[in-house]
Amino acid sequence: MADFVREVMTPGVVAVRPDASLVEAAQLMRAQDIGDVLVADGQHVVGLLTDRDITVRAVADGTDPLTVSAQAVCTPDPVVVAPDDPVSAAVTLMREHAVRRLPVVEGGLPVGMVSLGDLAEAQDPDSALADISRALPDDGQGRV
């Protein structure tokens, strides 16, 4: 069983500038096959933008995703963990803040992401959530 966040996190991050349009962010998510991007200004994490944020906070309201910035829709100042934090601290933060993913930040810079699925795979590899997290994504047409 993993002890530290660095052992379970997905290393590396995908980020957009705060002024990036939602279309830019969504295209990046599609290209990288991910459901979230960090919003960063080059010096620090400004927010976390998920595919759900784009859908619920912008598209559902009828706003034009070409003219709305990532910063306008993202969750600002997300809760973060450090790579050397215990896995139990990440679990506690997720519970307390009802979030499914946490940016991993070291020295003020993002170095990875830890998700609920990452924790499930590490803590209970036989769970349904761990199985789902390991599954290959489909291509939107039911094919892997």
Side-chain angles (χ1 to χ4, degrees), residues 136-144:
L136 294 173
D138 69 38
D139 64 359
Q141 307 218 338
R143 300 181 302 243
V144 174

Side-chain angles (χ1 to χ4, degrees), residues 15-134:
V16 296
R17 300 173 324 280
D19 63 345
S21 75
L22 296 183
V23 170
E24 289 177 69
Q27 289 172 338
L28 185 57
M29 288 179 198
R30 179 179 63 195
Q32 297 291 321
D33 193 30
I34 54 177
D36 58 82
V37 293
L38 290 178
V39 180
D41 65 6
Q43 300 300 315
H44 67 284
V45 174
V46 174
L48 179 66
L49 179 69
T50 68
D51 48 6
R52 187 172 193 283
D53 292 333
I54 294 170
T55 302
V56 173
R57 295 180 180 172
V59 175
D61 286 340
T63 58
D64 182 357
L66 282 169
T67 61
V68 176
S69 72
Q71 186 171 18
V73 177
C74 73
T75 299
D77 301 317
V79 178
V80 301
V81 292
D84 293 325
D85 285 348
V87 168
S88 60
V91 171
T92 298
L93 285 171
M94 286 182 176
R95 280 189 177 132
E96 287 176 356
H97 297 276
V99 296
R100 295 178 177 95
R101 56 188 65 86
L102 297 169
V104 182
V105 176
E106 185 171 44
L109 298 174
V111 295
M113 190 75 74
V114 63
S115 70
L116 190 58
D118 295 332
L119 296 174
E121 285 185 61
Q123 302 295 337
D124 188 4
D126 295 325
S127 70
L129 182 55
D131 288 344
I132 292 166
S133 295
R134 282 190 296 269

